[in-house]
Amino acid sequence: MGNSYAYVRVSTMKQNEDRQMIAMDALEVPVKNIFMDKQSGKDFNRPMYRKLLKKLRPNDVLYVKSIDRLGRNYEEILEQWKILTKEKKIDIVVLDMPLLDTRNGKDLLGTLIADLVLALLSYVSENERDTIKQRQMEGIEAAKQKGVRFGRPPKTLPDNFEEICCRWAEKEITAKEAIGLCNLTKATFYRKVKQIKEKV
């Protein structure tokens, strides 16, 4: 029997990993064997996942809370599954999906069932994300057509902006003083100056 490992992933630094960590603690996976990434699952170029791969040895067991913690890309999940089970020769246990437990059904039928379930889940998961993205894009487009503006509102310029620009251009005041008088950031100041020049 090999060692027990766990992989935990949250998409951003703000997301909470407690739910996954509690599940791994209940399995008594040693803390030193729990590898966690705090970044998107769009690909497998993640530092802790890469470190985990180097640690794994034949007959080790890798626990993940759900299949989407491994990743979000259908093809890449299948590829990593093959690397883990065929090349690394480890077992994978997906806690939220008992059928995805390679310790069970080591015969041809068991392997086939696990592979089919994995392929189906990965496809459904990716399809859901694509559907959500499509709905978001449609919602944004519909809002734009209704006149809703996205992003930060444009910075209000002082009434005497052009006068300040002229004073700066004639070297009566420094750029720093002009920016301070306009209450703008350096980048915004120069961008607005450029816009005015283009209109002339």
Side-chain angles (χ1 to χ4, degrees), residues 17-52:
E17 70 277 4
D18 288 353
R19 187 175 65 93
Q20 295 175 72
M21 293 299 286
I22 289 168
M24 300 313 165
D25 186 54
L27 294 166
E28 298 184 352
V29 177
V31 174
K32 66 183 177 68
N33 288 355
I34 299 176
F35 291 76
M36 179 171 59
D37 279 310
K38 291 195 173 187
Q39 68 183 82
S40 167
K42 65 179 180 179
D43 58 45
F44 282 86
N45 189 24
R46 308 174 216 135
M48 295 310 290
Y49 181 78
R50 291 293 171 195
K51 191 173 180 180
L52 168 64

Coordinates of all heavy atoms in Angstrom, one line a residue, residues 17-52:
E17 N -11.0 27.3 1.0 CA -10.8 25.9 0.7 C -11.2 25.0 1.9 O -11.0 23.8 1.9 CB -9.3 25.7 0.5 CG -8.4 25.9 1.7 CD -8.0 27.3 1.9 OE1 -8.5 28.2 1.2 OE2 -7.2 27.6 2.9
D18 N -11.9 25.5 2.9 CA -12.2 24.8 4.1 C -13.0 23.5 3.8 O -12.7 22.5 4.4 CB -13.0 25.7 5.1 CG -12.2 26.7 5.7 OD1 -10.9 26.7 5.5 OD2 -12.7 27.6 6.5
R19 N -14.0 23.6 2.9 CA -14.8 22.4 2.6 C -14.0 21.2 2.2 O -14.1 20.1 2.6 CB -15.9 22.8 1.6 CG -16.9 21.7 1.3 CD -18.0 22.2 0.3 NE -17.4 22.5 -1.0 CZ -17.4 21.6 -2.0 NH1 -17.9 20.4 -1.8 NH2 -16.9 21.9 -3.1
Q20 N -13.0 21.5 1.3 CA -12.1 20.5 0.8 C -11.2 20.0 1.8 O -10.9 18.8 1.9 CB -11.4 21.0 -0.4 CG -12.2 21.4 -1.6 CD -11.4 22.0 -2.8 OE1 -10.6 21.3 -3.4 NE2 -11.6 23.3 -3.0
M21 N -10.7 20.9 2.6 CA -9.7 20.5 3.7 C -10.3 19.6 4.8 O -9.7 18.7 5.2 CB -9.1 21.8 4.3 CG -8.2 22.6 3.3 SD -6.8 21.7 2.7 CE -5.7 21.7 4.2
I22 N -11.6 20.0 5.1 CA -12.3 19.2 6.1 C -12.5 17.7 5.6 O -12.3 16.8 6.3 CB -13.7 19.8 6.4 CG1 -13.5 21.1 7.2 CG2 -14.6 18.8 7.2 CD1 -14.7 21.9 7.4
A23 N -12.8 17.6 4.3 CA -13.0 16.3 3.7 C -11.7 15.5 3.8 O -11.7 14.3 4.1 CB -13.5 16.4 2.3
M24 N -10.6 16.1 3.5 CA -9.3 15.5 3.5 C -8.8 15.1 4.9 O -8.2 14.1 5.1 CB -8.2 16.3 2.8 CG -8.5 16.7 1.4 SD -9.0 15.2 0.4 CE -9.7 16.0 -1.0
D25 N -9.2 16.0 5.9 CA -8.8 15.7 7.2 C -9.6 14.5 7.8 O -9.0 13.7 8.5 CB -9.2 16.9 8.1 CG -8.7 16.8 9.5 OD1 -7.5 16.5 9.7 OD2 -9.6 16.9 10.4
A26 N -10.8 14.3 7.3 CA -11.6 13.1 7.7 C -11.0 11.9 7.2 O -11.2 10.8 7.8 CB -13.0 13.3 7.2
L27 N -10.3 11.9 6.1 CA -9.6 10.8 5.5 C -8.3 10.5 6.1 O -7.6 9.5 5.8 CB -9.5 10.9 4.0 CG -10.7 11.0 3.2 CD1 -10.5 11.5 1.8 CD2 -11.4 9.6 3.1
E28 N -7.9 11.4 7.0 CA -6.6 11.3 7.7 C -5.4 11.4 6.7 O -4.4 10.7 6.9 CB -6.5 10.1 8.6 CG -7.6 10.1 9.7 CD -7.4 8.9 10.6 OE1 -6.7 8.0 10.4 OE2 -8.2 9.0 11.7
V29 N -5.6 12.2 5.7 CA -4.4 12.4 4.8 C -3.4 13.3 5.5 O -3.8 14.4 6.0 CB -4.9 13.1 3.4 CG1 -3.7 13.4 2.6 CG2 -5.9 12.2 2.7
P30 N -2.2 12.9 5.6 CA -1.2 13.8 6.3 C -1.1 15.2 5.7 O -1.2 15.3 4.5 CB 0.2 13.0 6.1 CG -0.2 11.6 5.8 CD -1.5 11.7 5.1
V31 N -1.0 16.2 6.6 CA -1.0 17.6 6.1 C 0.1 17.8 5.1 O -0.1 18.5 4.1 CB -0.9 18.5 7.3 CG1 -0.7 20.0 6.9 CG2 -2.1 18.4 8.3
K32 N 1.2 17.2 5.3 CA 2.4 17.4 4.4 C 2.1 16.8 3.0 O 2.8 17.1 2.0 CB 3.7 16.8 5.0 CG 3.6 15.3 5.1 CD 4.9 14.8 5.8 CE 4.9 13.3 6.0 NZ 5.0 12.5 4.8
N33 N 1.1 15.9 2.9 CA 0.7 15.3 1.6 C -0.5 16.0 1.0 O -1.0 15.4 0.0 CB 0.4 13.8 1.8 CG 1.7 13.0 2.1 OD1 2.8 13.6 2.1 ND2 1.6 11.7 2.4
I34 N -0.9 17.1 1.5 CA -2.0 17.8 0.9 C -1.4 19.0 0.1 O -0.7 19.9 0.6 CB -3.0 18.4 1.9 CG1 -3.6 17.2 2.7 CG2 -4.1 19.2 1.3 CD1 -4.5 17.6 3.9
F35 N -1.7 19.0 -1.2 CA -1.2 20.0 -2.1 C -2.3 20.9 -2.6 O -3.3 20.4 -3.0 CB -0.5 19.3 -3.3 CG 0.8 18.6 -2.9 CD1 0.7 17.4 -2.3 CD2 2.0 19.2 -3.2 CE1 1.9 16.7 -1.9 CE2 3.2 18.5 -2.8 CZ 3.1 17.3 -2.2
M36 N -2.1 22.2 -2.4 CA -3.2 23.1 -2.7 C -2.7 24.3 -3.7 O -1.7 24.9 -3.4 CB -3.7 23.8 -1.5 CG -4.9 24.8 -1.7 SD -5.7 25.3 -0.2 CE -4.3 26.0 0.7
D37 N -3.5 24.5 -4.7 CA -3.3 25.6 -5.6 C -4.4 26.6 -5.5 O -5.6 26.2 -5.3 CB -3.2 25.2 -7.1 CG -1.9 24.6 -7.4 OD1 -0.9 25.2 -7.2 OD2 -1.8 23.5 -8.0
K38 N -4.1 27.9 -5.5 CA -5.2 28.9 -5.5 C -5.1 29.6 -6.8 O -4.6 30.7 -6.9 CB -5.0 29.9 -4.3 CG -5.2 29.2 -3.0 CD -5.4 30.3 -1.9 CE -5.8 29.6 -0.6 NZ -6.1 30.6 0.5
Q39 N -5.6 29.0 -7.8 CA -5.7 29.6 -9.2 C -6.6 28.8 -10.1 O -7.1 27.8 -9.7 CB -4.3 29.6 -9.8 CG -3.7 28.3 -10.2 CD -2.3 28.4 -10.7 OE1 -1.3 28.5 -10.0 NE2 -2.1 28.4 -12.0
S40 N -6.9 29.4 -11.2 CA -7.9 28.9 -12.1 C -7.5 27.4 -12.5 O -6.3 27.1 -12.6 CB -7.9 29.7 -13.4 OG -8.6 29.1 -14.4
G41 N -8.5 26.7 -12.9 CA -8.3 25.3 -13.3 C -8.3 25.2 -14.9 O -8.6 24.1 -15.4
K42 N -8.1 26.3 -15.5 CA -8.2 26.3 -17.0 C -7.1 25.4 -17.6 O -7.3 24.9 -18.7 CB -8.1 27.7 -17.6 CG -6.7 28.4 -17.3 CD -6.7 29.8 -18.0 CE -5.4 30.4 -17.7 NZ -5.3 31.8 -18.3
D43 N -6.0 25.2 -16.9 CA -5.0 24.3 -17.4 C -4.2 23.7 -16.2 O -4.6 24.0 -15.1 CB -4.0 25.0 -18.4 CG -3.3 26.1 -17.7 OD1 -2.8 26.0 -16.5 OD2 -3.2 27.2 -18.3
F44 N -3.3 22.8 -16.5 CA -2.6 22.1 -15.4 C -1.2 22.7 -15.1 O -0.4 22.0 -14.4 CB -2.5 20.6 -15.7 CG -3.8 19.9 -15.5 CD1 -4.8 19.8 -16.4 CD2 -4.1 19.3 -14.2 CE1 -6.0 19.2 -16.2 CE2 -5.3 18.6 -14.0 CZ -6.2 18.6 -15.0
N45 N -1.0 23.9 -15.5 CA 0.3 24.6 -15.3 C 0.2 25.3 -13.9 O 0.2 26.5 -13.8 CB 0.7 25.5 -16.4 CG 2.0 26.1 -16.3 OD1 2.9 25.5 -15.6 ND2 2.3 27.2 -16.8
R46 N 0.1 24.5 -12.9 CA -0.1 25.0 -11.5 C 1.1 24.5 -10.6 O 1.4 23.3 -10.7 CB -1.4 24.6 -10.9 CG -2.6 24.8 -11.8 CD -3.9 24.3 -11.2 NE -4.7 23.8 -12.2 CZ -5.4 22.6 -12.2 NH1 -5.3 21.8 -11.2 NH2 -6.1 22.3 -13.2
P47 N 1.7 25.3 -9.9 CA 3.0 24.9 -9.1 C 2.8 23.7 -8.2 O 3.6 22.8 -8.2 CB 3.4 26.2 -8.4 CG 2.2 27.1 -8.4 CD 1.4 26.7 -9.6
M48 N 1.7 23.7 -7.4 CA 1.6 22.7 -6.4 C 1.1 21.4 -7.1 O 1.5 20.3 -6.6 CB 0.6 23.1 -5.3 CG 1.1 24.3 -4.5 SD 2.8 24.1 -3.8 CE 2.5 22.8 -2.6
Y49 N 0.4 21.5 -8.1 CA 0.0 20.2 -8.8 C 1.2 19.6 -9.5 O 1.4 18.4 -9.4 CB -1.1 20.5 -9.9 CG -1.5 19.3 -10.7 CD1 -2.4 18.4 -10.1 CD2 -1.0 19.0 -11.9 CE1 -2.8 17.3 -10.7 CE2 -1.4 17.8 -12.6 CZ -2.3 17.0 -12.0 OH -2.6 15.8 -12.6
R50 N 2.1 20.4 -10.0 CA 3.3 19.9 -10.6 C 4.2 19.3 -9.6 O 4.9 18.3 -9.8 CB 4.1 21.1 -11.3 CG 3.4 21.6 -12.6 CD 3.4 20.5 -13.6 NE 2.6 20.9 -14.8 CZ 2.2 20.0 -15.7 NH1 2.5 18.8 -15.6 NH2 1.4 20.4 -16.7
K51 N 4.3 19.9 -8.4 CA 5.1 19.4 -7.3 C 4.5 18.0 -6.8 O 5.2 17.1 -6.6 CB 5.1 20.4 -6.1 CG 6.0 20.0 -5.0 CD 6.1 21.2 -4.0 CE 7.1 20.8 -2.9 NZ 7.2 21.9 -1.9
L52 N 3.2 17.9 -6.8 CA 2.5 16.7 -6.4 C 2.8 15.6 -7.4 O 3.1 14.4 -7.0 CB 1.0 16.9 -6.4 CG 0.1 15.7 -6.3 CD1 0.3 15.0 -5.0 CD2 -1.4 16.1 -6.4

